């Protein structure tokens, strides 16, 4: 991956890029059909001057700061699709069905050395009080961290078997320097901790099943060396979702109904 160029584009300039950003292959019918309660055709809010797929997107900018994210066309992809890169936060204005619900998410990204991208789900409008999954690039290693509130779990491994012998983690086969594509379910309706299933690749209901996955927090968290007491850090407290970039380039983000719902 080439070094990221952190250009600054104020929100007032984003319309130059077109407003139909980042579709990963989920049809609009999937995006708009995730159950009653959410409306992706919400009136534009202040600061939400562009879209990603069928969702309006608002960059969260702290007081006194300027936009730190830049957008560019994906020349290799037909249609008005874009990537976003740099440092900052994006809020998707397609609320999830309800706090206690379950959804799938798609994410495609590349990371600088030392960079990270965080998918925040079931959060409030400030992307706080949510369930977070962060991917970090540390040399050749791709680390995966899960957070809720003040609790954090390292899902990267290594593992420790009954004979106290260490084994590689669930993501050890992935090369951190390469582009990454994940689909994941977050079942926030399960308590006392959300149930998360992670697959590699774009959404494919025929291939991505409850038996065919990279990681299942309901099964695998207890196999990690840290021996966590529950299957994930907890639950999110809201209906919004978004992204936090820190030295990352995101080429796709989307959401839909769960792949392994129950």
């Amino acid at each position: 991956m080439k070094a990221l160029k952190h250009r600054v584009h104020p929100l007032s300039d984003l319309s130059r890029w077109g407003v139909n950003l980042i579709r990963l292959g989920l049809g609009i019918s999937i995006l708009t059909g995730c159950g009653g309660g959410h409306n992706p055709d919400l009136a534009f809010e202040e600061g939400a001057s562009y879209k990603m797929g069928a969702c309006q997107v608002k960059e969260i900018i702290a007081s006194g700061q300027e936009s730190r994210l830049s957008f560019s066309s994906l020349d290799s992809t037909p249609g008005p699709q874009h990537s976003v890169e740099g440092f900052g936060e994006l809020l998707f204005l397609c609320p999830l069905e309800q706090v206690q619900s379950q959804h799938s998410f798609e994410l495609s990204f590349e990371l600088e050395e030392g960079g990270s991208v965080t998918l925040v789900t079931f959060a409030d409008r400030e992307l706080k009080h949510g369930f977070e999954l962060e991917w970090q690039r540390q040399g050749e290693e791709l680390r995966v961290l899960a957070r809720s509130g003040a609790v954090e779990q390292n899902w990267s491994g290594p593992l420790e078997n009954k004979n106290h012998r260490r084994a590689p983690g669930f993501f050890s086969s992935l090369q951190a320097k390469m582009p990454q594509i994940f689909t994941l379910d977050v079942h926030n309706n399960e308590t006392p901790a959300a149930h998360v299933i992670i697959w590699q690749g774009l959404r494919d209901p025929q291939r991505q099943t409850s038996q065919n996955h990279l990681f299942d927090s309901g099964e695998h968290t207890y196999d990690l060396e840290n021996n966590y007491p529950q299957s994930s850090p907890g639950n999110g407290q809201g209906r919004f979702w978004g992204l936090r970039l820190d030295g990352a380039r995101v080429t796709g983000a989307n959401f839909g109904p769960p792949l392994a719902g129950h």
Side-chain angles (χ1 to χ4, degrees), residues 32 37-46 48-51 54-58 91-96 125 239-241 255:
T32 58
H38 92 266
N39 179 9
D41 296 321
L42 293 169
F44 276 116
E45 296 192 3
E46 182 181 356
S49 58
Y50 57 102
K51 288 185 177 181
C55 290
Q56 298 170 9
V57 180
K58 178 180 180 180
L91 174 69
F92 287 71
L93 296 178
C94 288
L96 304 173
R125 287 175 177 265
R239 295 178 56 225
F240 287 87
W241 65 287
F255 85 112

Side-chain angles (χ1 to χ4, degrees), residues 96-171:
L96 304 173
E97 182 180 355
Q98 55 187 0
V99 176
Q100 293 184 332
S101 63
Q102 45 190 320
H103 290 276
S104 68
F105 300 87
E106 283 182 317
L107 189 62
S108 301
F109 60 89
E110 303 171 60
L111 299 176
E112 291 182 344
E113 171 58 39
S116 67
V117 61
T118 303
L119 172 66
V120 185
T121 67
F122 295 98
D124 61 22
R125 287 175 177 265
E126 300 299 321
L127 291 186
K128 301 183 185 301
H129 309 295
F131 184 93
E132 303 184 4
L133 279 170
E134 179 179 354
W135 288 265
Q136 298 178 348
R137 176 180 170 184
Q138 295 188 357
E140 296 297 318
E141 180 186 5
L142 184 67
R143 301 182 74 232
V144 182
L145 306 176
R147 296 190 199 89
S148 179
V151 181
E152 179 179 279
Q153 293 180 359
N154 180 358
W155 289 355
S156 310
L159 315 179
E160 186 171 356
N161 61 25
K162 295 179 180 179
N163 297 321
H164 303 288
R165 293 181 179 177
R166 290 158 60 96
F170 298 102
F171 303 92

Side-chain angles (χ1 to χ4, degrees), residues 172-188:
S172 60
S173 63
L174 304 180
Q175 298 183 43
K177 65 182 180 181
M178 301 299 292
Q180 307 294 330
I181 303 175
F182 295 102
T183 302
L184 57 144
D185 269 14
V186 180
H187 300 171
N188 200 54

